[in-house]
Amino acid sequence: MNLFCVGLSHHTANVETRERFSGHAETDCILRGAGCTEALLLTTCNRVEVYGAAAARVPTEEIIRCLARQIDQQLCQDASAFYRYEDAECVQHLFRVTCGLDSMVVGETEIFGQAKKAYESARASGAAGPYLHRLFQRAFRAAKQVRTHTDITRGSVSVGSVAVDLAEKIFGHLSGRKVLVLGAGETSERTARALVSRGVSDLRVSNRSMDRAAELARLVAGRAICFDEWPEQCREIDILITSTSSEAPLLTPENLAPMLRDRIDRPVFIIDIAVPRDVDPSVNEMEGVYLYDIDSLQSVAQQSLALRRQQIAAAEAIIAEHVVDFWESGTARRRADSTHSAMSESPLRVTEL
Amino acid sequence: MDLREARRALQLIYLVDRHLLIVSTICFLAAVVRTIAALRAGVFRPGRFNFLAVGLGFIFQTAFLSIRGHAVGRCPITNLFEVFIFLAWSIALIYMLIGPAYRLSLMGAFTAPLVFLIQTFALLAPIDVRHAVKLPANPWLEFHASMSLVAYGAFALACVAGVMYLVQERQLKTHQLRSIFYHLPPLTNLFAAITRLLWWGFALYTLGLASGFFIGEPLPWVQAVCAFGVWLLYAAILQGRHFRQLAPRRVAALCIVGFSAALTLLWGITFAAQMHSLP
């Protein structure tokens, strides 16, 4: 049985090319018509891949034709963007994909769910049989092991989620924490939404334009506060997200110190995403104050990414073990099957035994 | 049994129990080595290994204390060596009681080096002064000493949590996050654990100190002053914490300073007691 993978991804094709091949529901059935015993189509925004098992080699061109939304001259140019992996290489490629090693953001876990969904859909339509079942089940096992035994998925790589992760490292659970959003920009909105999704229920929004504050407050289930009241609010809140267009810093050690006087054992986390900055950097030197501006958030995201990259070797080692084990057990199984079928086809040999 | 036979029997017991202690120390060393290797590789993971290593080390410590206790016919805190081992045992005990409860599994990685250092020092230093005959037991004295040492165990764990707090706080302040950052508990959880450990340690220490008044024999003044000094030190830290005079970072730092001072004073107390018991 020939196990193969034909596809294109963000490594080999731009988004226009990928769009021309993004699969449709019946593709796996069409693929079976092309000579595949089993077929599975994995389509995400970054890749279009066909995993197949066939008794004889199915040409790559045949697969590309099945995937193409329309047959035209462009197809010949696009064919160069396709790659093909066979047998053990195909197994290794799938395992790398499900572990997030082949993703644009190394270690992202969304691909695991997408592969699972693709497998469920192929199994439901009858396109995936025992070969792909074994292959994908092992891929999911390998991905889970990589996730548990390495730090490949640790840390956030976007500004909003970095801010939320840091808040959780300071406060633990975020439910019951009070948040003030100062300035209703797009990034503050995204960060506020991320905080709400992790349990924050007391969210206050303050903006020079009260209408905009009210609108954002409605979107994030918070309450609007008059802009003049924000210094008073700072005495109560745990997290401050600021992104105003003020030319001079709004918060300095001098005006923050009186606000923090009665809260020595309650830390305050300040996320300053304004450019120019709303908070004087020396505020970070104050006891119990953790200040992150846009650059430091991006630096943390980069550090997370670097940390994930450090884990690639460990993840590859786990994958290599799974590939060898999967391939050897598959070979042994195929040998046993062929012996069994040869014996059952030849009554003479059975009697000889 | 004449004096020579008793001495020979005790020598044999001392040889066996020291072996148990060496095995226990190796268990703690295993946790230390694994932690260092993981930190160097940048793949720090708490896992069960540290808990199991500390657990196994604790079992061997218990076996040592039990054999030694039978040999000396009382709670095995008759010399500086036994005091240090009892302290190491208390630290391991409190870690296993509070570690899982407060989800501080990583604490094992920080506790193991401390226990390892105390036990290695106890094994290498010539402080295991042997008693040829069984010492007369005084229940109040034993209660006082053992309770004070268990309190020291709680102070040691507060010191460990303090180190964890400072490591985490520094990473958050400097914006330099390493692999260990993702496995350390949040600052507020660590601070809550420090506060609880301080209160537990202080309550047990007060109980131990109070029971000292019922021993029935006069204590050397150096011992009494040292013991009261430790009590005052922790009372001051807790007062600063309770009345919000000290910031969490300072409380964490004081837990480390406090325990280092307490350990030095413990040496003084035990040394003075040994001098006092000598004819």
Side-chain angles (χ1 to χ4, degrees):
Chain A
M1 188 65 71
N2 176 236
L3 200 60
F4 66 90
C5 163
V6 170
L8 42 73
S9 71
H10 60 100
H11 293 300
T12 60
N14 58 19
V15 68
E16 287 88 25
T17 314
R18 297 203 297 273
E19 271 169 5
R20 282 198 283 276
F21 295 95
S22 59
H24 39 99
E26 301 83 30
T27 313
D28 6 10
C29 299
I30 298 167
L31 286 163
R32 290 195 79 163
C36 299
T37 314
E38 294 178 27
L40 183 148
L41 181 68
L42 175 62
T43 314
T44 71
C45 52
N46 283 328
R47 69 184 65 246
V48 179
E49 284 178 344
V50 170
Y51 290 88
R57 192 178 192 279
V58 181
T60 305
E61 296 72 31
E62 194 69 39
I63 306 284
I64 296 173
R65 234 170 276 146
C66 290
L67 287 175
R69 287 189 173 271
Q70 58 188 85
I71 310 293
D72 54 18
Q73 282 188 331
Q74 184 71 33
L75 200 64
C76 300
Q77 288 171 23
D78 289 342
S80 61
F82 277 83
Y83 44 79
R84 182 181 180 111
Y85 297 106
E86 296 205 18
D87 299 335
E89 273 190 351
C90 163
V91 176
Q92 190 193 28
H93 176 72
L94 174 66
F95 289 6
R96 292 187 81 252
V97 167
T98 50
C99 292
L101 293 188
D102 201 56
S103 299
M104 197 178 262
V105 177
V106 176
E108 59 97 6
T109 50
E110 209 178 329
I111 185 69
F112 182 83
Q114 289 164 329
K116 219 160 188 185
K117 210 180 248 180
Y119 165 70
E120 294 296 343
S121 146
R123 207 179 64 158
S125 68
Y131 284 97
L132 291 183
H133 170 75
R134 271 191 64 236
L135 176 67
F136 274 78
Q137 288 308 319
R138 180 51 84 95
F140 300 143
R141 233 172 85 192
K144 280 177 192 163
Q145 198 180 333
V146 164
R147 226 189 281 180
T148 320
H149 290 92
T150 71
D151 279 340
I152 196 95
T153 58
R154 290 277 169 186
S156 297
V157 289
S158 72
V159 167
S161 45
V162 163
V164 176
D165 277 1
L166 290 169
E168 283 184 330
K169 278 293 173 192
I170 296 169
F171 301 106
H173 291 297
L174 295 182
S175 54
R177 298 292 164 190
K178 298 179 177 103
V179 179
L180 172 63
V181 180
L182 196 57
E186 198 185 318
T187 318
S188 352
E189 182 188 328
R190 274 208 303 272
T191 313
R193 278 180 191 278
L195 286 167
V196 169
S197 74
R198 301 272 184 105
V200 168
S201 53
D202 187 341
L203 208 132
R204 302 144 194 212
V205 184
S206 186
N207 195 54
R208 285 186 209 278
S209 148
M210 192 60 184
D211 291 345
R212 178 71 189 117
E215 192 189 330
L216 179 57
R218 188 181 53 78
L219 287 171
V220 294
R223 60 191 162 99
I225 303 284
C226 180
F227 193 74
D228 298 335
E229 286 175 24
W230 75 261
E232 198 50 44
Q233 294 289 326
C234 282
R235 292 178 195 276
E236 291 178 26
I237 50 127
D238 302 292
I239 302 168
L240 170 68
I241 306 168
T242 168
S243 65
T244 72
S245 51
S246 168
E247 286 298 317
L250 292 174
L251 270 179
T252 59
E254 290 72 37
N255 64 12
L256 189 60
M259 299 177 199
L260 303 179
R261 194 163 293 145
D262 300 324
R263 45 176 303 166
I264 195 166
D265 58 345
R266 276 177 54 212
V268 60
F269 179 35
I270 303 174
I271 306 159
D272 181 5
I273 36 189
V275 180
R277 286 175 290 183
D278 282 342
V279 186
D280 187 326
S282 55
V283 158
N284 193 43
E285 319 272 304
M286 295 173 77
E287 197 73 67
V289 180
Y290 303 94
L291 168 67
Y292 281 75
D293 59 27
I294 192 76
D295 274 5
S296 41
L297 288 172
Q298 266 158 4
S299 146
V300 171
Q302 288 302 316
Q303 286 172 46
S304 303
L305 208 54
L307 182 72
R308 287 182 180 197
R309 289 200 184 107
Q310 275 177 20
Q311 306 295 307
I312 290 176
E316 294 279 16
I318 293 173
I319 288 172
E321 275 175 32
H322 276 278
V323 171
V324 170
D325 188 51
F326 177 83
W327 197 247
E328 280 177 357
S329 64
T331 311
R333 189 182 293 221
R334 279 192 295 276
R335 203 172 292 143
D337 285 351
S338 60
T339 311
H340 178 74
S341 56
M343 279 164 57
S344 50
E345 276 167 20
S346 165
L348 185 64
R349 288 191 69 181
V350 175
T351 43
E352 274 174 358
L353 286 167
Chain B
M1 194 187 283
D2 64 6
L3 197 65
R4 193 177 295 172
E5 275 180 7
R7 191 170 287 172
R8 196 175 297 157
L10 268 176
Q11 272 178 347
L12 190 69
I13 288 167
Y14 276 47
L15 197 71
V16 172
D17 65 16
R18 276 184 87 89
H19 279 105
L20 284 172
L21 207 57
I22 291 167
V23 177
S24 159
T25 312
I26 291 169
C27 293
F28 289 106
L29 175 66
V32 176
V33 169
R34 193 184 153 99
T35 304
I36 293 171
L39 280 173
R40 282 174 72 102
V43 281
F44 196 90
R45 306 200 70 77
R48 287 188 200 147
F49 186 86
N50 283 333
F51 193 79
L52 287 175
V54 175
L56 210 58
F58 174 77
I59 291 169
F60 285 110
Q61 281 175 329
T62 312
F64 161 82
L65 290 172
S66 165
I67 292 174
R68 185 58 74 98
H70 275 99
V72 296
R74 50 180 289 182
C75 184
I77 39 177
T78 60
N79 62 26
L80 197 54
F81 172 75
E82 289 168 9
V83 164
F84 274 122
I85 302 308
F86 197 90
L87 172 65
W89 177 82
S90 305
I91 296 171
L93 173 75
I94 291 177
Y95 159 68
M96 290 201 298
L97 288 177
I98 72 123
Y102 294 130
R103 292 171 182 262
L104 300 175
S105 54
L106 190 72
M107 209 176 223
F110 287 81
T111 307
L114 182 65
V115 176
F116 171 73
L117 283 175
I118 292 174
Q119 284 195 184
T120 307
F121 171 76
L123 279 166
L124 295 178
I127 50 173
D128 195 8
V129 181
R130 298 164 189 199
H131 298 278
V133 287
K134 287 188 176 182
L135 296 167
N138 179 338
W140 279 111
L141 180 65
E142 286 184 20
F143 180 80
H144 156 75
S146 54
M147 201 49 73
S148 305
L149 283 173
V150 174
Y152 262 67
F155 292 148
L157 263 288
C159 163
V160 167
V163 172
M164 289 163 78
Y165 184 95
L166 292 180
V167 169
Q168 186 77 315
E169 214 256 357
R170 179 153 179 77
Q171 294 192 81
L172 279 163
K173 274 276 187 198
T174 57
H175 307 161
Q176 297 293 319
L177 313 183
R178 306 196 181 283
S179 173
I180 198 169
F181 175 81
Y182 300 102
H183 303 290
L184 279 166
L187 285 183
T188 42
N189 294 13
L190 277 170
F191 190 57
I194 290 173
T195 308
R196 282 179 195 140
L197 282 162
L198 281 176
W199 276 116
W200 271 107
F202 188 71
L204 290 170
Y205 196 71
T206 309
L207 200 64
L209 214 59
S211 62
F213 292 106
F214 300 96
I215 291 172
E217 45 187 279
L219 285 172
W221 68 268
V222 182
Q223 219 171 317
V225 168
C226 287
F228 192 61
V230 172
W231 187 86
L232 268 183
L233 181 74
Y234 279 98
I237 299 174
L238 278 168
Q239 194 231 9
R241 158 74 189 108
H242 189 70
F243 292 106
R244 295 177 177 176
Q245 291 157 330
L246 292 172
R249 194 170 61 88
R250 284 181 203 277
V251 173
L254 279 171
C255 282
I256 301 166
V257 175
F259 183 66
S260 311
L263 208 58
T264 316
L265 290 175
L266 176 71
W267 179 307
I269 292 171
T270 320
F271 191 73
Q274 251 172 258
M275 290 290 109
H276 182 65
S277 67
L278 283 176

